[in-house]
């Protein structure tokens, strides 16, 4: 879904896979994990955040990040970008 002030959708990361490459967006972004567990590498901070099923994670615009799934089941995520997707 894409509007003037919000873009949202879902993505699935199979076990042992990454979601694309390391990237950053100008928009603020949130992830809400519907199934499985998501890991988000944050290179600038030198951290990796674990977001479990039923949990959410917020990233301000400009944050370099790389979501991945090193678990044994697929990870399904609902994501939002505001004010808009690049």
């Amino acid at each position: 879904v894409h509007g003037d002030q919000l873009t949202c959708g879902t993505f699935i990361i199979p076990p042992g896979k990454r979601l694309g490459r390391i990237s950053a967006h100008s928009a603020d972004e949130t992830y809400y994990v519907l199934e499985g567990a998501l890991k988000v590498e944050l290179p600038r901070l030198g951290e990796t955040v674990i977001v479990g099923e039923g949990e959410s994670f917020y990233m301000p615009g400009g944050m370099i990040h790389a979501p991945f799934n090193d678990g044994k089941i697929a990870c399904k995520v609902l994501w939002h970008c505001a004010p808009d997707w690049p």
Side-chain angles (χ1 to χ4, degrees):
V1 175
H2 178 73
D4 291 343
Q5 297 296 314
L6 177 72
T7 300
C8 64
T10 59
F11 61 79
I12 297 173
I13 305 177
K17 300 291 183 182
R18 289 187 167 270
L19 181 67
R21 57 184 171 78
I22 293 176
S23 62
H25 317 287
S26 59
D28 292 350
E29 191 170 3
T30 61
Y31 293 149
Y32 178 78
V33 177
L34 299 167
E35 297 174 10
L38 178 70
K39 289 190 177 177
V40 184
E41 183 181 352
L42 303 170
R44 280 191 190 152
L45 301 178
E47 295 180 15
T48 298
V49 176
I50 301 169
V51 189
E53 190 170 310
E55 296 180 334
S56 61
F57 177 68
Y58 164 80
M59 288 175 292
M63 176 73 68
I64 296 173
H65 58 286
F68 65 99
N69 177 6
D70 66 355
K72 296 188 185 299
I73 64 169
C75 177
K76 185 173 185 178
V77 177
L78 172 65
W79 63 272
H80 304 85
C81 280
D84 61 7
W85 180 247

